[in-house]
Amino acid sequence: MAIPEVVIERLPEYARVLSQFESRGREVVSSQEIGDALRRPGRTSAAQVRKDLSYFGRFGKQGRGYNVRKLLEELRRILGLNRQWRMALVGTGRLGMAILGYEGFEPQGFRIIHAFDSDPAMAGNDAGGLRVHSTDEIEEVLAKSPVDIGIVAVPAEMAQGVIDRLVQCGIRAILNYAPITARVPEGVELKPIDPVLHLQSMTYHLKARAGSFG
Amino acid sequence: MAIPEVVIERLPEYARVLSQFESRGREVVSSQEIGDALRRPGRTSAAQVRKDLSYFGRFGKQGRGYNVRKLLEELRRILGLNRQWRMALVGTGRLGMAILGYEGFEPQGFRIIHAFDSDPAMAGNDAGGLRVHSTDEIEEVLAKSPVDIGIVAVPAEMAQGVIDRLVQCGIRAILNYAPITARVPEGVELKPIDPVLHLQSMTYHLKARAGSFG
DNA sequence: CCTTGTGAAGTTCTTCACAGCA
DNA sequence: TGCTGTGAAGAACTTCACAAGG
């Protein structure tokens, strides 16, 4: 039974709302409550939560619901979140430095352990506690000290080349902040982060709406 | 005929690859070429490009393909990209400052014209050329000088409250960088930007794969 | 000959609805 | 009674495949 990718992508959201329930002291929740926390209440989604979870096992108790702590633990196990993941950042310009400084990664177990930049003036500098390596050294550094995930924050023109090299180094998961539609071989995960694409699809709806400012 | 949201979300990607074709001097492209630029070549997608475009009109010439310049112009018109869009940023911490400094918005017609922060020590400061207002002043400032889009970069605990207030001010599109699943009323667009969720779904695949580092 | 535009077919994803169990 | 787990039904999306037109 192949598990749809959309299901995988919802699991971290379930985990996040379960953390919230946990921190509010809830011990048991129903699929309905999880669904309501994620979507506009009223829209179904409770069935979706149950079906999604059913791909991986039977975690609930009929008549009661799900034990928050236990389900959260299961999700973390399924997603592989019970360990540290090592990441390498390529590109230490404005965007790259912001990524280095982002406090949201570490608490979730994601740590940037290498930083690279193609600008020779950058190399050797200290970037948020990391020494910046030249991009030329990617292969060498990653061979000595491998990482699980690559983060690409270089200009558009260089992004595909950098991605190809990371893949060549054995990296199987890449977070791409460059505004290009990148390509990776079968078996490599690539997730684009591009706020502009989101803005550009929102404007479609704004434009259509009467009374928009303008 | 209702146009599926997935289709809307692909249009900006089409526009982006068309820009690339244009800057390389291409005058005409086929749906096949557009598709190949977006997906792993071989996988169909050419039919998808044609069908997506067909929701909005007939832009191609049989036997030839699409005129790059003309199709790009049409897409920009459809998406409402032929104008400036004004945005307000709430939250000028590390993340907010990085967003203010991001060079990718302006060239695409998106300009941040207001910045807000709840920290009184921040208020009045200069943030990338903008005076930082107190969060208390959101209503007042937006009434005098409205924006089309809100960007939320406040801590998780405050995010839903800020979003509610922006909606109250008449904002109909919000880019949310806070790590929560926020809720907005019907008719308001909300796009989450959360790299951690993407990392957490990628680890699912990494974990499953043999020979992962760790 | 080449490529669009599009009904129809096929596939994937979501929701329903209910048996089964606490 | 209340809620899960899940086949079956339904909706949404994608791909096929071909008529039509340059």
Side-chain angles (χ1 to χ4, degrees), chain A residues 3 5 8-9 11-13 15-17 20 36-41 56 76-81 83 85-87 94-95 97-98 100-105 108 110 146-151 169-175 177-207 209 212-214, chain B residues 3 5 8-9 11-13 15-17 20 36-41 56 76-81 83 85-87 94-95 97-98 100-105 108 110 146-151 169-175 177-207 209 212-214:
Chain A
I3 297 164
E5 182 64 18
I8 307 299
E9 289 176 356
L11 299 186
E13 296 192 67
R16 200 170 56 185
V17 305
Q20 286 164 17
D36 285 355
L38 287 169
R39 312 244 173 186
R40 224 182 308 288
F56 303 95
R76 295 181 58 81
R77 181 185 54 73
I78 293 164
L79 289 168
L81 303 180
R83 49 163 286 192
W85 293 93
R86 284 168 292 181
M87 311 195 290
R94 264 187 198 272
L95 179 57
M97 290 303 287
L100 266 178
Y102 183 55
E103 306 97 327
F105 292 135
Q108 301 299 322
F110 297 94
V147 299
D148 308 289
I149 299 167
I151 303 182
C169 291
I171 287 181
R172 291 287 163 268
I174 293 172
L175 204 56
Y177 283 83
I180 62 159
T181 304
R183 306 249 217 81
V184 288
E186 196 69 43
V188 178
E189 297 296 311
L190 174 75
K191 301 276 183 183
I193 306 271
D194 190 338
V196 170
L197 291 185
H198 288 114
L199 291 172
Q200 291 180 334
S201 62
M202 290 200 295
T203 56
Y204 171 82
H205 301 284
L206 291 181
K207 170 192 67 78
R209 195 140 34 232
S212 91
F213 307 116
Chain B
I3 297 164
E5 183 64 18
I8 306 298
E9 289 176 357
L11 298 186
E13 296 193 67
R16 200 170 56 185
V17 305
Q20 286 164 17
D36 286 354
L38 288 169
R39 311 247 172 183
R40 226 180 309 285
F56 303 95
R76 295 181 59 81
R77 181 185 54 73
I78 292 164
L79 290 168
L81 303 180
R83 49 162 289 192
W85 293 93
R86 283 168 292 180
M87 311 195 290
R94 263 187 200 272
L95 179 58
M97 290 304 287
L100 266 178
Y102 183 56
E103 308 96 326
F105 292 136
Q108 301 298 324
F110 297 93
V147 299
D148 308 288
I149 299 166
I151 304 182
C169 291
I171 287 180
R172 291 289 164 266
I174 293 171
L175 204 56
Y177 283 83
I180 62 160
T181 303
R183 306 250 217 82
V184 288
E186 195 72 41
V188 178
E189 298 295 312
L190 175 75
K191 301 276 183 183
I193 306 271
D194 191 338
V196 170
L197 291 186
H198 288 116
L199 291 173
Q200 291 180 333
S201 62
M202 290 200 296
T203 56
Y204 171 82
H205 300 284
L206 291 182
K207 170 194 64 82
R209 196 141 30 233
S212 91
F213 307 115

Side-chain angles (χ1 to χ4, degrees), chain B residues 8 21 41 55 64 69 74 89 91 94 110 119 124 132 142 145 147-148 159 191:
Chain B
I8 306 298
F21 279 118
Y55 282 101
R64 252 177 88 57
R69 222 156 105 73
E74 291 285 357
L89 170 72
R94 263 187 200 272
F110 297 93
D119 183 353
V132 178
L142 294 186
S145 166
V147 299
D148 308 288
K191 301 276 183 183

Side-chain angles (χ1 to χ4, degrees), chain B residues 55-191:
Chain B
Y55 282 101
F56 303 95
R58 296 136 67 95
F59 306 122
K61 277 198 175 50
Q62 283 154 327
R64 252 177 88 57
Y66 300 88
N67 178 295
V68 174
R69 222 156 105 73
K70 177 159 162 287
L71 182 54
L72 187 51
E73 186 48 42
E74 291 285 357
L75 286 173
R76 295 181 59 81
R77 181 185 54 73
I78 292 164
L79 290 168
L81 303 180
N82 287 317
R83 49 162 289 192
Q84 277 266 338
W85 293 93
R86 283 168 292 180
M87 311 195 290
L89 170 72
V90 188
T92 58
R94 263 187 200 272
L95 179 58
M97 290 304 287
I99 292 166
L100 266 178
Y102 183 56
E103 308 96 326
F105 292 136
E106 285 270 356
Q108 301 298 324
F110 297 93
R111 171 175 290 172
I112 297 173
I113 64 168
H114 301 303
F116 299 94
D117 201 282
S118 64
D119 183 353
M122 270 285 189
N125 275 11
D126 179 275
L130 291 180
R131 189 166 80 76
V132 178
H133 295 275
S134 161
T135 306
D136 299 337
E137 302 174 80
I138 288 179
E139 289 77 5
E140 186 187 338
V141 171
L142 294 186
K144 276 191 201 152
S145 166
V147 299
D148 308 288
I149 299 166
I151 304 182
V152 175
V154 300
E157 316 79 65
M158 303 179 190
Q160 185 64 57
V162 165
I163 288 168
D164 293 344
R165 287 176 62 194
L166 291 175
V167 169
Q168 207 54 47
C169 291
I171 287 180
R172 291 289 164 266
I174 293 171
L175 204 56
N176 176 38
Y177 283 83
I180 62 160
T181 303
R183 306 250 217 82
V184 288
E186 195 72 41
V188 178
E189 298 295 312
L190 175 75
K191 301 276 183 183

